[in-house]
Every structure is written in C-alpha cells, then in structure tokens.
Amino acid sequence: MMVKNIYKQIYKGIKSYDEIVIARHIGPDPDALCSQLGLRDSIRATFPDKKVYAVGASVAKFKSFGNLDHPNYESLNNPLLIVLDVPNMHRIDGIDGLNYSNILKIDHHPKEDIKGYIEWVDTDKSSTCQMVTELLLNTKLKITRKVAENLFLGIVSDSERFSLKNTSISTFETTKKL
C-alpha cells in the first residue's frame, strides 16, 4: 500500500503547482534525460495550462529525445522543483538562480543529501524511467506516444537491455505497457 500512496502524493504535488521545473543530474544519460522529458511532456499533456520546464545542459547525441527548456527563472513564482535520477544537490544540472518552494524527488539511486517534501526512492528499480512509467500508469497523468518512447528508451538503456540484476518481472511488466 505504501507505493500506491506515493503515487497519490506525487500526483497531488504536481497538481497543486502552476509552475514546475524538472531537473536531473549533470552529464545526463538516457535514463536521466528521458525520465525528465517524459515526465515534463506527460504533465503538459495532462495539464496544458501549467508552465512545466525540463532544464539543464543539452547533449548533442541525445537531441532526438526532445528539447530542453530555458526559462527565465526571475519570471517564475517559487515553482515546484522535481529532481529525477540524482541523489545529491551538487550534481543537479540547470537550477542555478532558481528560487523554488519545494522539492519532489524520484530516484532509483540511494538517498544522499536531497531532501524533498515528497520523496520516492527505490533502489530496487531498474531506472528512474521505470519509476516515472509506474507513476503515470497509476495516476491520471497522460502517456503520449513520445512520452512512451522516451520512457521505454530510458528503461532499456539503464537496465543495459534488461541484463542488470535490478531488472525484475516488474521491469518487464511496466515496459510491456509502454
């Protein structure tokens, strides 16, 4: 029951903010970037009036995954900061100068120094993309074709094509639904 409760908490947190900034770690891999873009695009599809930004440095070789945003942080009014796939503050990319009101954290790495008012950390998951997919499947957040493609790519990449030990039956079941 704990997991179902976290889905509700995260959804409620997302729903309660009009402005959201989604960040991930520096030097992103496909899991970091695809979870970030997938969640942003899902929130935008579900709540078209929200201002939702995926921030950080672009990576040329991952250009086909989607474009990152470059909002003017001074124009934002204490947005929710969602951090994905990063356990520590000093590795978050693209939030310098951002004044945020709360942190919502989703990660499959062990906890370090990021403290969110809502946290979902599960080191048994194959990837943050798997976690974001499970969130979307268990809430009213929409999954478009592009969202599904990005999340699928992140799961396949971070699980090294389903070969790592944290690949579980749940990983396959979640991926199948994409």
Side-chain angles (χ1 to χ4, degrees):
M1 294 302 148
M2 171 67 175
V3 174
K4 290 201 183 294
N5 189 34
I6 197 69
Y7 300 143
K8 288 179 185 178
Q9 287 178 36
I10 293 170
Y11 183 78
K12 186 177 176 183
I14 289 169
K15 194 173 178 183
S16 68
Y17 280 84
D18 292 328
E19 298 176 334
I20 300 170
V21 174
I22 304 173
R24 41 80 186 147
H25 61 75
I26 56 173
D29 57 6
D31 183 39
L33 196 54
C34 290
S35 62
Q36 181 186 34
L37 295 171
L39 184 58
R40 178 201 63 192
D41 294 345
S42 175
I43 296 169
R44 284 180 176 175
T46 308
F47 302 105
D49 294 334
K50 290 187 183 295
K51 296 177 184 173
V52 186
Y53 307 101
V55 300
S58 298
V59 179
K61 68 182 174 180
F62 299 143
K63 191 170 107 177
S64 64
F65 300 172
N67 295 318
L68 293 167
D69 305 300
H70 305 284
N72 176 358
Y73 288 156
E74 292 177 11
S75 71
L76 298 180
N77 187 22
N78 293 315
L80 173 64
L81 173 61
I82 300 177
V83 293
L84 303 173
D85 201 42
V86 59
N88 41 27
M89 290 298 290
H90 75 274
R91 294 199 64 232
I92 300 175
D93 189 15
I95 63 165
D96 292 339
L98 175 65
N99 292 314
Y100 53 87
S101 59
N102 277 312
I103 294 177
L104 188 158
K105 176 183 165 70
I106 302 172
D107 196 1
H108 71 121
H109 298 103
K111 285 185 182 184
E112 288 187 25
D113 67 350
I114 297 174
K115 301 289 184 225
Y117 87 110
I118 299 173
E119 291 184 354
W120 181 24
V121 176
D122 189 339
T123 57
D124 292 330
K125 298 296 181 186
S126 70
S127 59
T128 300
C129 280
Q130 179 181 345
M131 296 173 75
V132 169
T133 301
E134 291 172 3
L135 171 68
L136 303 186
L137 290 170
N138 287 282
T139 64
K140 295 178 182 178
L141 290 168
K142 294 181 180 178
I143 302 176
T144 65
R145 181 183 180 99
K146 183 64 175 167
V147 168
E149 288 171 351
N150 273 336
L151 294 173
F152 181 87
L153 180 60
I155 293 169
V156 171
S157 174
D158 231 39
S159 67
E160 291 189 17
R161 298 182 183 166
F162 308 107
S163 68
L164 297 180
K165 68 179 180 175
N166 60 357
T167 301
S168 65
I169 291 170
S170 170
T171 307
F172 288 110
E173 289 171 348
T174 300
T175 307
K176 177 183 173 188
K177 291 175 183 173
L178 290 172

